[in-house]
Amino acid sequence: MTYKLTHLKELEAESIYVLREVAAQFERPALLFSGGKDSIVVTHLAYKAFYPLRIPFPLVHIDTGHNFVETIEYRDALVEKLGATLIVGSVQESIDTGRVKEETGYYASRNKLQTVTLLDTIEKHKFDACIGGARRDEEKARAKERFFSHRDEFGQWNPKNQRPELWNIFNGKKNMGEHFRVFPISNWTEMDVWQYIYQENIPMPSIYYTHEREVFLRDGQWLANEACMTLKPDEKVVTKQVRCRTIGDISCTGLTLSKANSLEDIIDEIAATRVTERGGRADDKRSETAMEDRKIAGYF
Amino acid sequence: MDKGYLDMELLRFTTAGSVDDGKSTLIGRLLYDSKSIFEDQLEAVETASKRGGNEEVNLALLTDGLRSEREQGITIDVAYRYFATPKRKFIIADTPGHIQYTRNMVTGASTADLAIILIDARNGVLEQTLRHSYIASLLKIPHIVVCINKMDLMDFSESTYELIKQKYHEVIEKLQLPDVKFIPISAKLGDNVVTASANMPWYKGCTLMELLENTPIDHKLNTEMMRFPVQYVIRPISDKFHDFRGYAGRLSGGILKKGDAVTVLPSGLRSTVAAINQCDKELDDSFTPDSITVQLTDDIDVSRGDMIVGDSDQPVVSQDITMMVCWFNERPLLLRNKYIIMHTTRETVGIVKSINTLVNINTLEAETGGDSLKMNDIASITIKTAQPLVFDSYKQNRTTGSLIFVDPDTFETVGAGMIS
């Protein structure tokens, strides 16, 4: 027998260690579940970390109201299967109660509004650690992120004065009102995530696989023709074979023209692609430091 | 699908050198030449380079992610980068090289299997080279690769390379570095980074990428000394798992087998491994650094912070601990001050009993310790803890031999200790 872990096993062991640290160090943790592949993997890891115990924290979904139907169906089925608790923070409610103002125009998105709903939900339930599926390889500001990332009482991130994180010792100490964001799959890449899904045979929402959909082209991106989208006069709706490479809010999720019908197809497609997954995310394109700015404000 | 990709190993490495040594350019080059950079990333960097007034594409912008870093053209914080070749997956901890960022260098080095130390061929071995090498040796990074960069500016001269190599051997001797390799490179032009240099036919060794792909990683495993710090106790309240009592944790040394006789420290209670679980699977054996759940045959008191170890080669259990410490905070370490000590999964309070010697990071001479340590100071100190710690020396085990200091007022991580 050779005593060597494969990269997937080593990443899994690291992530499970981080999840168990959260359960041990915090009183009221929560797992932020978006229905995307990354949070699905984190949920799977949490299931494995505590088995035969149920996942010892609730799943929290910040619902923009602009979700793909398939995402919500998948979420509800998963919660049922795991016997987990689901808490939904609604952006629509934040709009209705006047906490935030809806953007208008062709580029209107609820992506940014989520931050307020998220911080309100954290405060309401007194969560002291929110586990997320963000990865360092996704985006340059996220490359600077810690596993245990401190947030001040305004929910803000201070990238220039982060706590050093050494070896595998995670410091989750904080003052009242402050909280942590925890990213167990920090060290995973998009490829690792898909390989792991394949290895563990994790069921995925159908929109990750190829399907026919009404779409339109905007700024080089295919977007879904859904009720929440307003078409410019020159934009035409066509039907294409597409799939999602990342899943966010409908308004900012670019669809990939793809015939990938299985996990093997998806892995092959990612191995060959020359564009990053967030290349299709309109929310990152607003400025060069769009992610850093949103993260400082308290975004995922 | 190529299933081979599911079976790769993971190498974590760190880079030491300042911006002027071309460190970010080197990382940019590794990513670029291994085709780990995507079109949209390259476009973004090209646009940003032009805006910054650069004529050529500034590969450094690939790693400097924060706004102030891009504005000042320096790396402030540790950034993590990822790439894979068909052989291996790599994690780079890219750390700033300026003296005031020693703490970030220490942070990046703490998890590294290999360190790349960059030397500017025009300048040779400088004080900062010594400093970077010292940190690599202090953090016990098993493998060191010295990249002599900017060879293009020295006409790819073999004698320049040999001279620097010779000079660096003094550093090796002084620090007792175990495994050091040398490569002449040009990060800017790509010579000997991923592809062999046509400009330096006199160099017969491997390229940097070949070295990264082939350096052994098996040092993580110390087969003799089994160490299992208990992280979390799993006790489900359900009919199906009525009697289940599992100790969850990550193996930090050695191999654990079903049926092994074990001791729980610091209590000294003994038992036998009844089962090793990984989710719903039962394993016959498991090894470092895997995360597992262990069941024992006896119903004894075990909780978070305890360490399950093998019966032979047991770790030290003590309240008096001498270590090398690197101080991270503007608030100085003071003699007699109390700090929260986090070590494996155990947490206690420690008081600073003595500052034994202070390391002059430029000459590496040991100086007499005073009654305080400033940010970025490295010193030998002795602490006394409220509860005993169960530890090995850092030299023997980087997990059970390391600890951090947390300020009880601000809860910031203020220091890192490597037990002597």
Side-chain angles (χ1 to χ4, degrees):
Chain A
M1 148 143 217
T2 55
Y3 293 108
K4 273 183 184 169
L5 291 183
T6 65
H7 72 295
L8 290 178
K9 279 295 284 176
E10 187 170 339
L11 289 171
E12 180 191 55
E14 177 179 82
S15 302
I16 286 176
Y17 179 82
V18 172
L19 284 160
R20 288 168 170 172
E21 277 305 289
V22 175
Q25 290 197 35
F26 296 95
E27 280 171 27
R28 297 178 70 91
L31 195 161
L32 300 177
F33 184 83
S34 70
K37 63 180 188 314
D38 299 319
S39 59
I40 290 170
V41 164
V42 174
T43 308
H44 179 82
L45 290 163
Y47 166 75
K48 290 186 85 167
F50 300 103
Y51 183 90
L53 198 66
R54 281 185 184 175
I55 299 176
F57 30 76
L59 305 191
V60 173
H61 182 216
I62 302 303
D63 182 358
T64 64
H66 291 169
N67 290 295
F68 291 100
V69 187
E70 294 88 340
T71 308
I72 302 297
E73 284 171 5
Y74 181 93
R75 176 196 78 186
D76 293 342
L78 182 67
V79 166
E80 169 94 32
K81 193 174 108 188
L82 297 175
T85 312
L86 175 71
I87 293 170
V88 178
S90 160
V91 174
Q92 186 62 51
E93 203 179 297
S94 301
I95 294 168
D96 294 345
T97 54
R99 294 280 295 145
V100 292
K101 192 165 174 341
E102 179 125 51
E103 293 179 2
T104 54
Y106 296 119
Y107 291 92
S109 165
R110 289 183 169 181
N111 180 278
K112 207 178 140 201
L113 308 185
Q114 291 180 94
T115 301
V116 174
T117 311
L118 171 63
L119 293 178
D120 285 352
T121 308
I122 289 170
E123 204 172 305
K124 183 176 163 194
H125 295 274
K126 299 196 164 48
F127 293 132
D128 53 2
C130 292
I131 301 159
R135 311 188 321 269
R136 288 169 178 159
D137 85 317
E138 275 181 89
E139 208 283 331
K140 55 187 183 290
R142 283 191 169 160
K144 306 270 168 173
E145 190 54 276
R146 302 292 189 258
F147 278 93
F148 272 40
S149 184
H150 183 254
R151 293 293 183 276
D152 66 17
E153 55 183 322
F154 300 101
Q156 297 201 333
W157 183 52
N158 182 357
K160 277 164 85 176
N161 190 24
Q162 299 197 74
R163 292 181 182 176
E165 209 158 70
L166 295 105
W167 300 292
N168 54 356
I169 310 175
F170 298 106
N171 172 5
K173 302 205 167 296
K174 56 177 180 6
N175 290 300
M176 280 289 286
E178 299 172 346
H179 74 276
F180 272 79
R181 299 290 172 84
V182 180
F183 305 108
I185 60 166
S186 284
N187 277 336
W188 298 45
T189 61
E190 182 188 19
M191 188 55 134
D192 298 329
V193 167
W194 282 111
Q195 287 179 336
Y196 186 73
I197 290 167
Y198 174 78
Q199 180 187 282
E200 299 284 299
N201 201 13
I202 305 172
M204 296 303 285
S206 57
I207 47 176
Y208 275 116
Y209 301 104
T210 186
H211 57 284
E212 277 198 351
R213 184 179 287 276
E214 285 191 359
V215 292
F216 64 96
L217 195 61
R218 176 179 291 172
D219 303 332
Q221 282 299 322
W222 291 102
L223 296 170
N225 180 39
E226 296 275 342
C228 61
M229 304 296 275
T230 314
L231 267 68
K232 293 181 188 173
D234 60 333
E235 288 170 341
K236 288 203 174 50
V237 174
V238 288
T239 302
K240 292 271 183 193
Q241 285 283 119
V242 294
R243 69 174 202 91
C244 293
R245 196 166 157 202
T246 73
I247 296 179
D249 175 278
I250 288 173
S251 67
C252 62
T253 303
L255 299 155
T256 311
L257 297 180
S258 167
K259 294 202 161 40
N261 208 8
S262 63
L263 291 171
E264 285 98 326
D265 289 350
I266 291 175
I267 291 172
D268 285 339
E269 188 180 289
I270 289 165
T273 189
R274 299 304 311 141
V275 182
T276 61
E277 59 184 308
R278 293 194 79 93
R281 292 286 288 255
D283 46 335
D284 289 348
K285 293 202 167 156
R286 292 190 167 191
S287 84
E288 205 182 311
T289 52
M291 176 64 91
E292 183 180 348
D293 297 339
R294 278 180 298 155
K295 277 181 66 69
I296 287 171
Y299 186 72
F300 302 95
Chain B
M1 193 184 77
D2 188 350
K3 301 281 192 311
Y5 282 112
L6 294 172
D7 198 22
M8 292 193 290
E9 281 182 298
L10 182 61
L11 181 90
R12 298 171 200 250
F13 69 93
T14 183
T15 50
S18 74
V19 185
D20 314 327
D21 297 332
K23 180 171 57 72
S24 296
T25 313
L26 175 66
I27 292 174
R29 174 60 63 187
L30 279 171
L31 299 175
Y32 186 78
D33 285 1
S34 64
K35 303 194 169 42
S36 310
I37 288 175
F38 296 97
E39 282 165 11
D40 52 322
Q41 285 175 312
L42 197 62
E43 262 170 45
V45 167
E46 280 169 2
T47 316
S49 304
K50 278 191 200 127
R51 202 179 307 138
N54 288 305
E55 276 175 32
E56 290 168 60
V57 175
N58 182 0
L59 289 175
L61 289 176
L62 283 166
T63 58
D64 293 336
L66 300 175
R67 183 187 293 115
S68 40
E69 290 178 319
R70 295 164 90 85
E71 281 167 4
Q72 297 173 41
I74 56 162
T75 312
I76 292 172
D77 202 348
V78 189
Y80 296 89
R81 298 286 153 192
Y82 304 83
F83 69 98
T85 67
K87 279 197 169 170
R88 265 187 190 168
K89 177 194 155 97
F90 299 94
I91 301 179
I92 316 173
D94 180 18
T95 62
H98 300 286
I99 187 159
Q100 65 266 41
Y101 298 119
T102 297
R103 66 172 215 178
N104 289 324
M105 228 180 302
V106 169
T107 303
S110 72
T111 50
D113 305 314
L114 179 149
I116 294 177
I117 291 176
L118 270 168
I119 296 179
D120 187 329
R122 294 171 304 175
N123 305 329
V125 177
L126 299 177
E127 260 184 12
Q128 66 164 10
T129 315
L130 195 62
R131 201 166 67 231
H132 297 157
S133 307
Y134 176 67
I135 288 171
S137 83
L138 183 70
L139 273 292
K140 300 277 178 252
I141 301 179
H143 308 281
I144 290 175
V145 180
V146 177
C147 285
I148 297 161
N149 191 23
K150 305 198 184 180
M151 289 299 291
D152 51 314
L153 300 180
M154 297 301 288
D155 297 326
F156 300 103
S157 144
E158 183 178 7
S159 58
T160 305
Y161 168 73
E162 286 299 333
L163 215 63
I164 294 172
K165 208 171 136 178
Q166 217 172 21
K167 188 90 185 137
Y168 193 84
H169 270 285
E170 291 168 22
V171 180
I172 296 178
E173 209 156 295
K174 196 162 186 173
L175 298 173
Q176 305 273 301
L177 298 173
D179 176 35
V180 182
K181 301 254 178 353
F182 296 88
I183 309 181
I185 65 165
S186 165
K188 199 172 137 201
L189 304 177
D191 291 72
N192 287 335
V193 179
V194 175
T195 44
S197 170
N199 295 311
M200 291 177 275
W202 46 264
Y203 173 74
K204 307 283 184 237
C206 17
T207 63
L208 177 58
M209 186 65 94
E210 285 167 344
L211 248 172
L212 293 174
E213 283 186 324
N214 294 303
T215 300
I217 324 182
D218 48 7
H219 62 266
K220 277 177 189 159
L221 193 68
N222 188 327
T223 48
E224 296 297 312
M225 299 190 289
M226 196 280 287
R227 302 287 184 259
F228 184 72
V230 175
Q231 221 186 336
Y232 191 80
V233 181
I234 293 177
R235 290 198 71 179
I237 304 166
S238 70
D239 290 340
K240 193 175 162 199
F241 297 101
H242 191 69
D243 293 323
F244 190 95
R245 187 187 173 100
Y247 305 108
R250 193 175 186 192
L251 270 167
S252 301
I255 299 162
L256 184 65
K257 291 192 171 79
K258 187 177 171 176
D260 276 357
V262 292
T263 305
V264 181
L265 293 174
S267 70
L269 295 170
R270 304 186 62 190
S271 187
T272 306
V273 176
I276 302 170
N277 300 95
Q278 212 160 41
C279 194
D280 53 1
K281 282 198 201 71
E282 237 187 77
L283 309 176
D284 288 329
D285 59 0
S286 63
F287 54 92
T288 306
D290 212 356
S291 283
I292 52 173
T293 302
V294 176
Q295 297 182 69
L296 300 179
T297 48
D298 306 276
D299 195 9
I300 52 175
D301 180 21
V302 184
S303 52
R304 175 174 166 85
D306 290 344
M307 199 186 294
I308 298 176
V309 303
D311 276 356
S312 55
D313 284 313
Q314 292 197 351
V316 181
V317 181
S318 173
Q319 287 173 262
D320 299 290
I321 303 146
T322 296
M323 71 192 81
M324 293 302 292
V325 69
C326 176
W327 202 246
F328 287 164
N329 207 266
E330 278 163 10
R331 214 174 155 188
L333 169 142
L334 298 176
L335 206 57
R336 310 290 308 162
N337 254 19
K338 285 179 186 150
Y339 297 95
I340 299 166
I341 304 294
M342 294 180 80
H343 169 257
T344 65
T345 55
R346 179 166 278 247
E347 190 187 310
T348 182
V349 175
I351 182 167
V352 181
K353 299 288 280 184
S354 64
I355 299 174
N356 312 319
T357 50
L358 182 70
V359 177
N360 180 325
I361 191 125
N362 293 320
T363 62
L364 302 189
E365 302 301 326
E367 297 169 356
T368 318
D371 49 14
S372 72
L373 293 180
K374 299 187 302 296
M375 183 152 88
N376 293 318
D377 276 353
I378 294 173
S380 160
I381 68 167
T382 302
I383 65 169
K384 187 172 188 75
T385 53
Q387 309 291 328
L389 295 187
V390 180
F391 60 87
D392 294 288
S393 72
Y394 185 75
K395 204 165 138 184
Q396 280 177 313
N397 189 315
R398 288 170 85 189
T399 305
T400 55
S402 55
L403 53 84
I404 61 168
F405 288 72
V406 175
D407 187 311
D409 300 329
T410 64
F411 297 135
E412 283 178 286
T413 302
V414 289
M418 287 137 280
I419 301 172
S420 303

